Amino acid sequence: MSMVHETGSRSALARPRWISRWLADCLTRAKKQRLLLLLLLPGVLYFIIFNYIPLYGVLIAFKNFKMQEGQSFLSALISSPWAGNLGLDHFKQFVQGPHFGKLMANTFLLGLYSIVFGFPAPILFALLLNELRHKYYKSFVQTISYLPYFLSVVAVVGMMKMVLSPGDGIVNVVLQKLGFEPVYFMSMPEWFRTLFIGSGIWTGLGMGAVIYLAALSKVDSDQYESAVIDGATRLQQIWHITLPAIKPVVIIMLILNLSGVLQVGAEKIILMYSPLTYDTADVLSTYVYRRGLVELNFSFGAAVDLFNAVINVLFLVTANHLARRFTEESLW
């Protein structure tokens, strides 16, 4: 019994010493890397101030938030009554509402099509650029492909409306020359997803390929020379050398894309859609905009947005788990 007490006392004494040694080690490392930590400080402060401190505002989703004149946001949040016994009335109202199924379907399909068609496009473009041997032509193509990324969403949608205009848009002019009737692309629900995904691929193609080109630049050229000596064709070199080299990057980017499958931005959709295209264009983010900001129903809008965020987190965790299980590559 005395030995047990003596062992317990020793562990109790050793634990604070272990913690103190760990703190001393961290302090030593911090002193050695103080310049790097100093560079990291603005980014950390940014996320703390603008991302973590405002998290208390999530309580709006669980309350019937009302703000009186002259009342601060925090005091209004504290004084607002809870939405039901557990604060879940707004979530129940949304899930049981008539728009839930359509909103979820539209959001999921836009996110899914963005991944199916938009995710492979920069990879294929990077592989094609990597095959170019003419230095100046390769730089010219890269520069041209980057330019749409720097256009504002307003400019992109404005260009789409001009090009696809049923009157003098170049697409309809060509269709009429070929003997077809003009097509009202921007007002047809069946064309909305195609235009949304296609314009997204066009604007993000060049910038999305930068990450994969950076990964391809690290591939040892001796591997290609050895493959040529062994008689491998260009497709075989791409399949056995190039693709395995960028596999970790592809998996990480795919996980990040899957985490935002329901995070379809509202700005571009609001500029593109109209009441005629609501059947395919109305998504969670635009619904939050209308209910939360236009109708000033802040609690309901926050509840829908929080619901969307939770679903995206579940997608992220699931995608990361599957990637770690089947490919041994993951975010954590």
Side-chain angles (χ1 to χ4, degrees):
M1 184 66 69
S2 60
M3 292 180 62
V4 174
H5 287 295
E6 185 178 354
T7 304
S9 61
R10 287 181 180 177
S11 61
L13 291 174
R15 192 175 297 115
R17 292 177 183 175
W18 176 83
I19 294 176
S20 62
R21 285 197 301 268
W22 178 76
L23 292 175
D25 183 54
C26 291
L27 184 60
T28 303
R29 292 184 180 182
K31 289 180 179 179
K32 291 181 180 180
Q33 302 176 358
R34 57 183 179 274
L35 294 179
L36 294 177
L37 293 175
L38 187 61
L39 292 174
L40 186 65
L41 183 60
V44 173
L45 291 176
Y46 171 84
F47 280 100
I48 292 175
I49 295 173
F50 296 103
N51 291 84
Y52 290 103
I53 293 179
L55 278 177
Y56 70 89
V58 173
L59 289 174
I60 295 178
F62 302 93
K63 290 195 168 189
N64 292 317
F65 180 76
K66 292 182 180 179
M67 196 168 181
Q68 304 296 330
E69 185 178 356
Q71 192 177 23
S72 66
F73 173 79
L74 184 58
S75 61
L77 180 62
I78 295 173
S79 60
S80 297
W82 293 96
N85 294 330
L86 300 176
L88 300 178
D89 281 6
H90 298 302
F91 297 95
K92 293 178 181 178
Q93 180 184 350
F94 169 63
V95 174
Q96 297 173 358
H99 305 292
F100 177 76
K102 183 181 69 174
L103 291 170
M104 291 297 295
N106 290 342
T107 308
F108 180 76
L109 287 176
L110 279 180
L112 180 63
Y113 292 157
S114 297
I115 294 175
V116 172
F117 299 105
F119 180 74
I123 301 175
L124 296 176
F125 185 63
L127 293 176
L128 293 174
L129 283 178
N130 191 58
E131 295 300 312
L132 293 178
R133 295 294 175 260
H134 197 286
K135 178 181 177 181
Y136 296 105
Y137 179 67
K138 182 178 180 180
S139 300
F140 173 75
V141 173
Q142 282 185 275
T143 303
I144 294 298
S145 65
Y146 295 157
L147 293 179
Y149 179 80
F150 298 100
L151 295 175
S152 67
V153 177
V154 178
V156 172
V157 176
M159 293 169 62
M160 291 171 58
K161 290 183 177 180
M162 287 191 297
V163 171
L164 301 174
S165 172
D168 54 356
I170 186 172
V171 174
N172 278 296
V173 169
V174 173
L175 289 177
Q176 292 178 23
K177 294 291 184 181
L178 295 175
F180 297 97
E181 293 293 327
V183 180
Y184 294 79
F185 291 99
M186 300 299 292
S187 60
M188 299 177 67
E190 59 269 25
W191 275 101
F192 179 83
R193 291 170 184 154
T194 302
L195 297 177
F196 183 87
I197 302 302
S199 60
I201 294 174
W202 177 64
T203 55
L205 182 67
M207 190 57 65
V210 172
I211 299 175
Y212 304 107
L213 287 172
L216 290 173
S217 66
K218 303 298 181 181
V219 181
D220 190 358
S221 59
D222 293 340
Q223 298 184 37
Y224 292 106
E225 295 177 1
S226 301
V228 172
I229 294 174
D230 293 336
T233 62
R234 293 303 302 173
L235 289 178
Q236 290 174 332
Q237 294 176 40
I238 293 173
W239 183 259
H240 295 286
I241 299 176
T242 307
L243 290 178
I246 64 174
K247 175 185 172 183
V249 179
V250 171
I251 293 174
I252 295 300
M253 295 302 297
L254 179 60
I255 294 173
L256 294 176
N257 278 267
L258 287 173
S259 67
V261 69
L262 293 182
Q263 198 66 36
V264 181
E267 298 87 355
K268 186 177 177 181
I269 295 179
I270 290 174
L271 292 170
M272 288 181 60
Y273 77 172
S274 65
L276 296 174
T277 59
Y278 273 178
D279 286 341
T280 57
D282 201 17
V283 296
L284 290 174
S285 57
T286 56
Y287 187 66
V288 169
Y289 169 77
R290 290 201 311 275
R291 293 297 303 271
L293 296 180
V294 177
E295 299 179 11
L296 300 180
N297 193 344
F298 299 114
S299 294
F300 186 82
V304 177
D305 204 31
L306 181 59
F307 174 85
N308 188 12
V310 171
I311 298 298
N312 283 320
V313 171
L314 293 178
F315 271 108
L316 173 62
V317 174
T318 303
N320 187 76
H321 173 72
L322 293 176
R324 185 174 65 249
R325 180 175 180 180
F326 294 105
T327 65
E328 299 182 355
E329 298 287 346
S330 62
L331 289 174
W332 65 84

